[in-house]
């Protein structure tokens, strides 16, 4: 298993975990159910951990695919920039979810306020995650790009050379 494969394995959970966590936390707040809220907090913590794993495998994945035809460094750089912003908000959400979990377990007065702050952070993370997921998918799924898979590098000769190298290897 290489870095690109590891990145593909771990990069989906931060997005999906955040989205599910948002729904579960909203339900917990609406139902005033501590167990449901605690479940959401745990999901946010796990999503943050997987976010760190995803960031850790991203560089190796980049090295493997950046010279593929129709990919180029620009599209990967855009994904990397969005992922870094997402990771920071996700880490903050995970840390605040941990604080909220402890506050809920110890029945602190501020536990309810912490749950709303965690929800706001999670909503911000969820919004950013949409762009991160889309930009990551566009790297190899050229059919979902706005330019519909046309060359994204400024040097078309390098794309042609890479294509010829791949054909020669077969």
């Amino acid at each position: 298993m290489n870095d690109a494969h590891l990145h593909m394995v771990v990069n989906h959970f931060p997005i999906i975990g955040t989205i599910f966590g948002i729904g579960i936390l909203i339900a917990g707040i609406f139902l005033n159910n501590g167990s449901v809220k605690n479940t959401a907090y745990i999901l946010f913590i796990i999503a943050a951990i997987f976010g760190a794993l995803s960031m850790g495998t991203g560089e190796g994945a980049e090295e493997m695919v950046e010279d593929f035809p129709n990919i180029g460094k620009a599209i990967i750089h855009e994904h990397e920039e969005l992922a870094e912003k997402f990771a920071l908000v996700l880490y903050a959400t995970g840390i605040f979810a941990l604080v909220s979990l402890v506050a809920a377990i110890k029945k602190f007065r501020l536990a309810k306020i912490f749950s709303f702050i965690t929800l706001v952070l999670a909503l911000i993370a969820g919004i950013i995650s949409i762009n991160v997921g889309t930009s990551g998918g566009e790297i190899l799924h050229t059919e979902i790009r706005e330019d519909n898979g046309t060359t994204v590098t400024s040097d078309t000769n390098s794309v042609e050379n890479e294509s010829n190298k791949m054909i020669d290897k077969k």
Side-chain angles (χ1 to χ4, degrees), residues 39-145:
T39 301
Y41 301 146
I42 292 168
L43 262 175
F44 293 137
I45 294 165
I46 294 170
I49 291 167
F50 271 80
L53 293 172
S54 186
M55 291 300 290
T57 59
E59 193 67 36
E62 176 184 5
E63 295 298 320
M64 295 191 75
V65 301
E66 68 185 348
D67 293 324
F68 281 13
N70 290 339
I71 292 181
K73 293 176 177 36
I75 195 164
I76 294 173
H77 180 72
E78 177 187 346
H79 174 63
E80 186 176 12
E81 291 296 313
L82 290 167
E84 287 170 356
K85 290 175 184 146
F86 175 55
L88 290 175
V89 176
L90 189 62
Y91 300 154
T93 304
I95 290 167
F96 220 90
L98 181 61
V99 169
S100 297
L101 181 63
V102 170
I105 291 170
K106 297 204 178 243
K107 300 191 187 316
F108 289 158
R109 280 181 302 162
L110 297 176
K112 190 170 187 174
I113 292 170
F114 289 166
S115 66
F116 284 106
I117 294 170
T118 302
L119 178 60
V120 169
L121 286 169
L123 287 168
I124 294 168
I127 291 166
I128 297 171
S129 77
I130 294 166
N131 294 325
V132 172
T134 299
S135 69
E138 287 175 348
I139 292 172
L140 289 176
H141 294 282
T142 57
E143 72 277 7
I144 64 171
R145 292 185 195 163

Side-chain angles (χ1 to χ4, degrees), residues 138-155:
E138 287 175 348
I139 292 172
L140 289 176
H141 294 282
T142 57
E143 72 277 7
I144 64 171
R145 292 185 195 163
E146 283 186 27
D147 63 8
N148 211 10
T150 58
T151 304
V152 294
T153 61
S154 59
D155 184 7

Side-chain angles (χ1 to χ4, degrees), residues 1-14 50-61 64:
M1 190 178 294
N2 58 37
D3 280 344
H5 187 208
L6 284 172
H7 188 67
M8 293 299 296
V9 168
V10 299
N11 73 3
H12 293 90
F13 193 83
F50 271 80
L53 293 172
S54 186
M55 291 300 290
T57 59
E59 193 67 36
M64 295 191 75

